[in-house]
């Protein structure tokens, strides 16, 4: 009796997880639903992981590096489901997964079937060995697990109908697009000015166009593409400022001194419903898209209640000068409603808070209800047609990402 309960429990938990993901619209198609019901996620988790933890809609950490930071994990099911739906896989598809572990590769193998090809690549020999063993144990010997640097892709198995990147990148190396079959999709988390979005990219001539962008987080890329950005602790790990632009200098001492000054507050009349979809993603990327020195604060909320009240504890949009900063904040004027505000610190904190409030209002008036920004990826150095719309260019080694906020007041022709 006990053994039959133990044998059926994981199946029931998989079914429950699939139902949850469908109810929350992360799973949209029956093939992805079937994959989540089929693959035994617990067989890919480290020994000692409970079934509850293996089938929760959450990350399972599988490895930490020498500094104690997570360098490998089984990604959260909602994000895996989203990425698989975005990749639009079919029976017979050829897929390259960059960043392995085995579980996601097994999901892909379920969808592409025996006529398909799955290559799963990881830079870490331990991850490769564990993924291989778990895939064999779970019944997916056909998945190829390759040890290598994802920056170079895996040309031998290409061209691929989809390249799915499950590690945080700051750039799109040429291999990822070169190894895509015509019409193929590249689904990759890309960091743009400290904001990571999972981009679904398709090739159009010499550039890529994002057809979808979703806020997400992944472990950072190692190897040739390693580019963690700059993080400046302002109070140990309690307050850390991430700055992505090489041209923006951060004077940590001056910003620490700014923290000790009285706070300036500005509350523009812009509110959002607590459960309003996409609103934070939109305002964050809008604020990051401005041509001003910009950073993102990560804050341990409980340990800094006396100092900072960021809108988001992981990525809080922040405008900067040499000795001052202003960040996005929120208050709840009534139940179920947030009001956006700006908190400024330092000698120029009040002016920066005013500036941030103006930007919040401009977003509310012009972009909040629009189609969102257009995100395109161009080879580094390639000409990008000019526009009068607000646009951020993120220059990296291989590419320039352009985030353009279409504005009906400007000519349509001057958008990329
Ligand atoms: C979040 S885990 C992958 C999760 C996995 N796809 C799953 O089944 O859920 C990210 C992985 O990327 C790997 N990684 C980091 N840099 C890499 C690189 N340059 N090339 C290939 N893999 C890399 C890490 O070793 C880690 O195992």
């Amino acid at each position: 009796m006990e053994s039959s309960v133990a044998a059926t429990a994981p199946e029931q938990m998989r079914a429950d997880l699939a139902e949850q993901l469908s109810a929350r619209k992360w799973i949209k198609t029956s093939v992805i639903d079937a994959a989540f019901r089929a693959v035994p996620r617990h067989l890919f988790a480290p020994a000692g992981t409970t079934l509850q933890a293996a089938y929760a809609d959450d990350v399972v950490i599988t490895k930490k590096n020498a500094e104690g930071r997570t360098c490998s994990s089984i990604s959260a099911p909602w994000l895996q489901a989203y990425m698989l739906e975005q990749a639009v896989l079919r029976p017979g598809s050829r897929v390259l997964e960059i960043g392995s572990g085995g579980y996601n590769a097994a999901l892909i193998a379920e969808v592409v079937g025996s006529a398909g090809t799955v290559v799963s690549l990881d830079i870490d020999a331990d991850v490769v060995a564990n993924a291989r063993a778990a895939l064999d144990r779970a019944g997916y010997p056909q998945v190829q697990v390759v040890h290598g640097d994802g920056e170079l892709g895996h040309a031998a198995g290409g061209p691929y109908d989809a390249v799915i990147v499950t590690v945080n990148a700051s750039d799109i190396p040429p291999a990822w697009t070169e190894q895509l079959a015509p019409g193929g999709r590249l689904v990759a988390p890309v960091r743009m000015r400290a904001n990571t979005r999972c981009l679904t990219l398709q090739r159009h001539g010499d550039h890529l166009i994002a057809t979808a962008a979703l806020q997400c987080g992944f472990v950072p890329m190692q190897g040739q593409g390693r580019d963690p950005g700059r993080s400046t602790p302002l109070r140990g790990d309690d307050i850390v400022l991430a700055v992505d632009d090489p041209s923006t200098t951060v004077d940590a001492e001056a910003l620490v001194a700014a923290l000790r000054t009285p706070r300036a507050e500005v509350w523009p009349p812009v509110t959002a419903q607590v459960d309003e979809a996409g609103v934070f993603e939109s305002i964050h990327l809008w604020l990051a898209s401005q041509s001003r020195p910009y950073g993102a604060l990560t804050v341990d909320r409980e340990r800094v209640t006396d100092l900072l009240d960021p809108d988001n504890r992981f990525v809080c949009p922040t405008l900067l000068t040499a000795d001052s900063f202003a960040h996005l904040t929120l208050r709840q004027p009534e139940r179920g409603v947030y009001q956006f505000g700006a908190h400024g610190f330092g000698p120029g904190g009040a002016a920066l808070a005013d500036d941030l409030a103006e930007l919040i209002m401009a977003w509310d008036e012009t972009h909040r209800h629009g189609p969102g920004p257009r995100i395109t990826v161009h080879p580094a150095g390639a000409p990008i047609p000019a526009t009068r719309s607000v646009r951020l260019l993120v220059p990296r080694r291989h590419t320039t990402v352009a985030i353009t906020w279409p504005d009906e007041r400007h000519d349509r022709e001057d958008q990329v």
Side-chain angles (χ1 to χ4, degrees), residues 193 285-294 319 359 390 392 405:
R193 245 194 173 184
L285 209 51
W286 164 254
L287 294 174
S289 300
Q290 310 302 319
S291 56
R292 293 160 171 72
Y294 173 91
L319 302 184
L359 291 171
V390 169
L392 173 70
W405 293 80

Side-chain angles (χ1 to χ4, degrees), residues 3 329 355 403:
S3 66
T329 188
D355 191 17
I403 306 172

Side-chain angles (χ1 to χ4, degrees), residues 354-383:
D354 282 339
D355 191 17
L356 185 50
E358 295 274 336
L359 291 171
I360 295 168
M361 286 194 287
W363 167 79
D364 185 50
E365 278 160 28
T366 314
H367 297 291
R368 176 182 192 157
H369 303 292
R374 189 172 157 82
I375 302 179
T376 49
V377 182
H378 307 259

Side-chain angles (χ1 to χ4, degrees), residues 263 265-270 309 329-331 339-343 357:
R263 172 168 99 187
E265 293 195 23
V266 186
W267 293 100
V270 179
D309 187 15
T329 188
L330 295 172
R331 67 182 178 191
Q339 181 177 10
F340 292 102
H343 282 173

Side-chain angles (χ1 to χ4, degrees), residues 22 26-35 81 84-85 89 111:
S22 293
W26 295 118
I27 290 180
K28 293 180 193 280
T29 57
S30 57
V31 279
I32 305 296
D33 179 76
L84 296 181
E85 293 285 3
L89 307 176
V111 180

